[in-house]
Amino acid sequence: MKRAFSEEDLVKNLSLYYLNRHLKKKPIEKYHRTIDESPLHQREKYKKKTEILLLNSFMHHFPEITFENLTCESPDFIAKCNGKKIGIELTEVINHLEMKKMESNLNKIFRQAEILLEQENAAKYRGVYFLEFHEHIAIDNLEKQQEIILNIYKSIKKEKPVGVVKNLRKSSHRRNVFITHEYNMNLFDELCSEKIVELIKKKNEKFPFYDNSVDECWLVIVSDMNSIASRYTFIQDQQHLESVKSPFHKIFHLENLYGNITSIK
């Protein structure tokens, strides 16, 4: 997955996925230990952990898959499936590019508020807090960011919205204090099929440079539904995907919330 993650995004993804109980049925912890034991830089370890978590829903569709190399680069993973050596290239389709920067900034703000609450009384405030904000919050302004952090901190302490916080609800979480966005889905939040086609074209150009020792190379395009920048309700003009040409042996689009998968090739 070749895109720039902020550390806040990565930590947020890890925390969100750990909340998902069906992870216990899959060897995620074993894969994470393997990544931790590798010589990769800490930032690369976070990235790889997030990538394998995005593939968790994918593994439900292919329970026979076992991963042999979790730390390679081109493709992202090497796996075994029905006696074949499979290269898996993973990429995320961003549905709302304009939301990506805002989401990264919000994750930084959330982390600062989490630290304040954990330092004060981690046991008391332990839980997952889903926040909804009033419109037009100025998260690019450093002074406003501090104000938002304090609003979040006070809202959680008082158990009621303060300042820019419009609504909040709490769920149990045994690990620590965890703050995220309230999940809202627009019924007409469409993902343009052309974005998927463009991604495939870009990956096609890199195909000759992938490990040629594999029997097959699969491309898995993920909509990370835990990210406001990647969510969608339906794929617009899905018929355009039927004419896609690619050297990849198989191409899938996967959404990781309910595990819906579309076979493109």
Side-chain angles (χ1 to χ4, degrees):
M1 192 182 292
K2 314 300 187 296
R3 71 180 181 88
F5 288 98
S6 74
E7 190 163 330
E8 289 76 16
D9 293 335
L10 297 171
V11 172
K12 195 62 62 178
N13 271 345
L14 286 172
S15 298
L16 278 165
Y17 283 106
Y18 276 128
L19 289 172
N20 195 332
R21 292 182 181 178
H22 74 257
L23 284 177
K24 297 175 184 177
K25 301 176 184 177
K26 293 292 174 183
I28 294 296
E29 289 187 2
K30 181 185 77 173
Y31 290 145
H32 277 196
R33 282 197 300 272
T34 301
I35 293 168
D36 275 332
E37 292 165 3
S38 76
L40 291 176
H41 184 275
Q42 193 63 33
R43 193 168 187 78
E44 285 299 308
K45 288 179 181 178
Y46 268 125
K47 180 184 173 199
K48 281 291 182 179
K49 285 180 180 182
T50 303
E51 289 176 346
I52 200 73
L53 286 166
L54 283 173
L55 279 176
N56 182 66
S57 297
F58 182 77
M59 288 186 279
H60 282 275
H61 292 277
F62 297 92
E64 65 277 15
I65 278 185
T66 56
F67 288 87
E68 291 192 335
N69 189 339
L70 299 164
T71 58
C72 52
E73 188 59 28
S74 298
D76 292 313
F77 301 102
I78 303 294
K80 277 281 187 180
C81 183
N82 296 327
K84 289 184 178 180
K85 187 178 180 181
I86 307 294
I88 297 178
E89 178 68 9
L90 180 68
T91 189
E92 181 183 354
V93 57
I94 304 297
N95 196 25
H96 306 286
L97 288 173
E98 70 283 359
M99 297 294 288
K100 187 59 193 170
K101 181 180 178 182
M102 187 193 85
E103 185 168 25
S104 292
N105 284 334
L106 271 178
N107 284 338
K108 292 176 185 177
I109 289 169
F110 290 157
R111 186 61 194 138
Q112 292 304 308
E114 289 166 357
I115 290 170
L116 284 177
L117 291 160
E118 287 169 351
Q119 287 176 341
E120 181 172 319
N121 192 331
K124 178 180 179 181
Y125 298 116
R126 186 180 294 126
V128 189
Y129 298 89
F130 298 89
L131 302 184
E132 183 181 351
F133 296 95
H134 293 289
E135 293 183 5
H136 310 303
I137 58 172
I139 59 174
D140 290 331
N141 184 301
L142 289 177
E143 290 183 9
K144 289 293 183 182
Q145 285 180 8
Q146 292 305 310
E147 180 184 333
I148 294 168
I149 291 167
L150 287 175
N151 285 169
I152 294 171
Y153 168 76
K154 291 176 181 177
S155 295
I156 291 172
K157 282 196 67 173
K158 296 180 178 181
E159 299 182 349
K160 64 179 182 179
V162 173
V164 298
V165 180
K166 183 178 180 181
N167 289 303
L168 81 157
R169 64 182 177 94
K170 181 181 178 181
S171 181
S172 61
H173 186 15
R174 61 185 175 84
R175 287 174 176 264
N176 47 24
V177 180
F178 176 49
I179 304 169
T180 188
H181 320 92
E182 178 60 273
Y183 185 86
N184 288 311
M185 182 75 86
N186 188 324
L187 290 176
F188 302 100
D189 197 4
E190 58 199 34
L191 170 58
C192 180
S193 60
E194 190 58 35
K195 290 183 180 179
I196 296 176
V197 173
E198 285 301 314
L199 266 181
I200 293 171
K201 287 179 180 177
K202 288 178 181 178
K203 290 296 179 179
N204 286 349
E205 294 173 2
K206 297 180 180 179
F207 186 87
F209 304 104
Y210 292 148
D211 187 338
N212 58 12
S213 70
V214 298
D215 298 312
E216 294 184 5
C217 196
W218 298 0
L219 176 61
V220 181
I221 300 167
V222 180
S223 286
D224 181 2
M225 302 293 276
N226 289 316
S227 164
I228 59 175
S230 192
R231 289 179 196 162
Y232 77 103
T233 309
F234 65 95
I235 300 175
Q236 183 186 38
D237 300 323
Q238 193 166 333
Q239 68 274 11
H240 292 167
L241 301 177
E242 297 172 3
S243 58
V244 165
K245 298 190 184 318
S246 175
F248 285 96
H249 296 80
K250 293 185 179 181
I251 302 175
F252 302 97
H253 174 264
L254 177 77
E255 62 92 343
N256 67 328
L257 189 64
Y258 300 109
N260 295 327
I261 193 167
T262 300
S263 178
I264 298 173
K265 179 182 176 183

